[in-house]
Amino acid sequence: MDDEPDRDDEELGAEEFDGGGGDTDVTIEIAGLSLYTHLGVSDAEREVGQRLVIDLRLEVGDCDAILTDRVEDTIDYAEVCEAVALTAQQRSYRTLERLCAAVADRLIDQFAAESVWIKIAKPEPPIPLPVEEVAVELWRERE
């Protein structure tokens, strides 16, 4: 029987706990962020507005939170969602492509992500044929 008390990872310093060894890249993923926006090609589509569903991944690279377990040492998911919402709702975009690029640029700038993958979907697109959704995906790296 071991006489030394058990210590959890939080009690171990970074020099003692290697998080499993080797280089570790962190990816943060947010799926199904639902926003109401005024995006669209036609004036009517922009005036009425519609719901968009957004999925995204931020490549963070090295992340101190794997050792410290502190929110301050990673990207706050709520702040990411707020930044996406602000970008999508501050102005009216005509295309999903442009909105994807604007969101990716903002996330790279605001959170210093190494890269961003984003998918923005219109679950009820204004087209005369039955479709489940239309979507655009974009991947961008920090320069």
Side-chain angles (χ1 to χ4, degrees), residues 39 52 94-101 120-122 134-136:
L39 177 138
L52 301 178
R94 291 186 180 274
T95 65
L96 290 172
E97 290 83 352
R98 179 65 195 118
L99 178 56
C100 280
I120 302 180
K122 288 183 180 184
V134 297
V136 170

Side-chain angles (χ1 to χ4, degrees), residues 75-141:
I75 294 174
D76 186 319
Y77 320 140
E79 288 180 19
V80 171
C81 292
E82 289 173 20
V84 172
L86 279 173
T87 304
Q89 296 170 336
Q90 278 179 327
R91 62 163 280 209
S92 177
Y93 295 90
R94 291 186 180 274
T95 65
L96 290 172
E97 290 83 352
R98 179 65 195 118
L99 178 56
C100 280
V103 169
D105 289 344
R106 182 171 191 152
L107 295 178
I108 287 172
D109 291 345
Q110 186 171 340
F111 299 102
E114 292 182 2
S115 65
V116 172
W117 170 86
I118 185 164
K119 174 185 172 188
I120 302 180
K122 288 183 180 184
E124 298 96 19
I127 58 177
L129 296 168
V131 296
E132 190 172 304
E133 72 177 21
V134 297
V136 170
E137 294 182 30
L138 179 136
W139 179 73
R140 181 160 287 167
E141 288 185 89

